[in-house]
Amino acid sequence: MASAHAHAHAHAIAAPGLLLGAYPERVAPAADWLGGQLGQWGALLGLAQQRGATRLQGFVAAVGQLDAQYAALGRVALREQALTLRRDFSLHGLSEPLTVQAFALLRAVAVQELGVRPFDTQLVAARVMLNRQLAEMATGEGKTLAAAICAATAALAGIPVHVVTVNDYLVARDAQQLKPLYAALGLSVGFVMAAHEPAARRAANACDITYCTAKELVFDYLRDRALRGPRRHGLQQQAARLDPSAAVQQRALLRGLCMAVIDEADSVLIDEARVPLILSRNVANAGERDYHGQALTLARQLQPGAHYLAELTQRVVRLTDGGHQRLDALCHGLPAVWHNQTHREEVLCSAIAALHLYRRDRDYLVHDGKVVIIDEATGRLAPGRVWSRGLHQLIEQKEGCKTSGEQVTAAQITYQRFFARYLRLGGMSGTLREARTELAAVYGLDVVRVALRQPARRLIWPTRLLASRDALWQMVAAQALQLSRAGRAVLIGTDSVADSESLSGVLQQAGLAHQVLNARHDLLEARIVAAAGAPGCVTVATNMAGRGTDIALDAAVAERGGLHVISCQHNSARRIDRQLIGRCARQGDPGSAQTLLTLEQPLIASLLPRWLSRRLWPHGMAGPAWLVALLVRLPQLLEERRQQAQREALQQQDALAERELLVGLHGE
């Protein structure tokens, strides 16, 4: 089983030193086809869950037996216990008896330093992650503290730990809020943000525990790879391990890839796995702007259907026979650069995509005169990320922005291959089970579902499909007005920045006070979310609201039925929709949710053409329930499979790109 492979070295200490070198990582891991296949079947049959449940219950019971002993100790005595554990871990590794003691110690320290007592479910999640597995833990069940318990235990054993979370705000917040816990154990904690210079990054990564985003972590790794040159093998690698104080290592930003704990693991390991992380440099090209401008001019002279076919969901443009002939005529008399048929057709398809498939306020924002990509999975801005093969420059010219210049790759890697290089890897999320087969096959990671601390009280209202977007916004506004007047809090999830602002306009016309949370307001996220559980509060959000800061429910709202979530999102993955729904009815609170969509949603329209849906259901569809579910879920299933195939292809392309860069001595 995949878990058997993960448990093979469960007690080992992965840390820099003579054995593993100054920069430990899993170099070129061997393909584990059999482990992946068995992991898929094990995940499908739920064997990992059944196999580990009894053992986890016994572990938590053992921790509970030590509660009274550690609760009676003062700060000085607890600190001494931590020092003793560090010594014992160094001698015996992460053995079960020592891990039990560490968890009991951490529970007592959390009470003294943070004023909270970790629940048994949080201990279960922490143990799962420490055991190189993924914990599916519902929103609001305390993932932040569970990750801290896991990270602190590993750090006591001498393992440098990266705790990976979703944005800079949470990176700084979690590191600062948990600092008293770590300090009481004699552990140091640092954090890395996008604005940090190399010296600050190096200092943060020198700490026992470092909080960071996946993107900053990967780019620091790529900078280290470029610094160290091509990867060494055999005797060269062994010789390098004998000199851990080499000058290159002193300038490295990281201390290797020893252990990572990933929050929102499905977002990082699945949703963002298709995005290659590219360390690039600008190359001046005086003629590039004119070239892209000419491409946009030519693209505007081509007609959809007659000259090209554009697929919105797949972002693919294909020229028709008429398009090839039209392009031949348009390029007659143009400079020689336009005489290469293959190259000009490629750039023209990119120009058409830039004009018609990538939309402002849905796929990107124009911020301070720059095009900034909106991450599809999180709804947040992704500064520094660029589209490749000239697409980004074409969109910049479309929007009248200063072009960033041609990007030449110096190093690249994907999350798929980067996180597989960690010697110990674990994580958590509220939505993992839909992706468990892929997680087992690609990463060898089992998914273990952590039970709710209290029974769920969530009510799911019937899904509705409206005929048009206007009809959808009117129904949403009417429901939000009714519920807010009843003293409940309402969270409305939309697909894009543009949709959130369109709905905001409708709510304003209805005289309904509300807050908007999208990529334009990311700096205000914590404040907006903090107020989203107040009586009568209405919050309109993109899928930024699905992950990150919790919504605290006011007691008066709980008495009136709790938070009501209206999901107008139809994401490419069912998990992302479920993240939003999971915002209500947390920790045993009451709550309700309903999905309201239109027959015009791109995924639904890809399955059922709009002309047909208008003829069959001119006023929208309320039932039968099985047909509504089919129209909503089937296109998502098809899109999930398509994206999984893309990730598999990208994994192969990434490995090929690495070999090519190594041949060119460009690092990775």
PDB file of all heavy atoms in Angstrom, residues 35 88 92 110 194 353 482:
ATOM      1  N   GLY A  35       3.291   1.242  -6.158  1.00  0.00           N
ATOM      2  CA  GLY A  35       2.746   1.955  -4.999  1.00  0.00           C
ATOM      3  C   GLY A  35       1.612   2.877  -5.395  1.00  0.00           C
ATOM      4  O   GLY A  35       0.616   2.992  -4.687  1.00  0.00           O
ATOM      5  N   ASP A  88      15.961  12.912  23.554  1.00  0.00           N
ATOM      6  CA  ASP A  88      15.477  11.553  23.299  1.00  0.00           C
ATOM      7  C   ASP A  88      15.147  11.339  21.823  1.00  0.00           C
ATOM      8  O   ASP A  88      15.398  10.262  21.263  1.00  0.00           O
ATOM      9  CB  ASP A  88      14.257  11.258  24.166  1.00  0.00           C
ATOM     10  CG  ASP A  88      14.597  11.184  25.654  1.00  0.00           C
ATOM     11  OD1 ASP A  88      15.801  11.050  25.969  1.00  0.00           O
ATOM     12  OD2 ASP A  88      13.669  11.272  26.474  1.00  0.00           O
ATOM     13  N   HIS A  92      16.407   8.304  19.424  1.00  0.00           N
ATOM     14  CA  HIS A  92      15.474   7.240  19.047  1.00  0.00           C
ATOM     15  C   HIS A  92      14.579   7.602  17.859  1.00  0.00           C
ATOM     16  O   HIS A  92      13.772   6.758  17.444  1.00  0.00           O
ATOM     17  CB  HIS A  92      14.600   6.875  20.249  1.00  0.00           C
ATOM     18  CG  HIS A  92      15.395   6.516  21.472  1.00  0.00           C
ATOM     19  ND1 HIS A  92      16.156   5.371  21.559  1.00  0.00           N
ATOM     20  CD2 HIS A  92      15.558   7.166  22.662  1.00  0.00           C
ATOM     21  CE1 HIS A  92      16.752   5.315  22.739  1.00  0.00           C
ATOM     22  NE2 HIS A  92      16.398   6.394  23.432  1.00  0.00           N
ATOM     23  N   ALA A 110      -0.036  24.590  25.076  1.00  0.00           N
ATOM     24  CA  ALA A 110      -1.065  25.376  24.384  1.00  0.00           C
ATOM     25  C   ALA A 110      -2.044  25.987  25.377  1.00  0.00           C
ATOM     26  O   ALA A 110      -2.485  27.130  25.219  1.00  0.00           O
ATOM     27  CB  ALA A 110      -1.805  24.501  23.374  1.00  0.00           C
ATOM     28  N   ALA A 194       6.288  37.893   0.323  1.00  0.00           N
ATOM     29  CA  ALA A 194       6.741  38.268  -1.019  1.00  0.00           C
ATOM     30  C   ALA A 194       7.708  39.447  -0.994  1.00  0.00           C
ATOM     31  O   ALA A 194       8.633  39.512  -1.809  1.00  0.00           O
ATOM     32  CB  ALA A 194       5.532  38.598  -1.895  1.00  0.00           C
ATOM     33  N   ALA A 353      -6.852  34.384 -28.445  1.00  0.00           N
ATOM     34  CA  ALA A 353      -7.145  34.017 -27.059  1.00  0.00           C
ATOM     35  C   ALA A 353      -7.056  35.224 -26.147  1.00  0.00           C
ATOM     36  O   ALA A 353      -7.897  35.412 -25.262  1.00  0.00           O
ATOM     37  CB  ALA A 353      -6.178  32.923 -26.597  1.00  0.00           C
ATOM     38  N   GLN A 482     -34.416  38.976   2.318  1.00  0.00           N
ATOM     39  CA  GLN A 482     -35.309  38.292   3.256  1.00  0.00           C
ATOM     40  C   GLN A 482     -34.540  37.730   4.451  1.00  0.00           C
ATOM     41  O   GLN A 482     -34.944  37.892   5.614  1.00  0.00           O
ATOM     42  CB  GLN A 482     -36.057  37.172   2.533  1.00  0.00           C
ATOM     43  CG  GLN A 482     -37.000  36.371   3.425  1.00  0.00           C
ATOM     44  CD  GLN A 482     -37.683  35.238   2.666  1.00  0.00           C
ATOM     45  OE1 GLN A 482     -37.418  35.021   1.495  1.00  0.00           O
ATOM     46  NE2 GLN A 482     -38.555  34.515   3.350  1.00  0.00           N
TER      47      GLN A 482
END
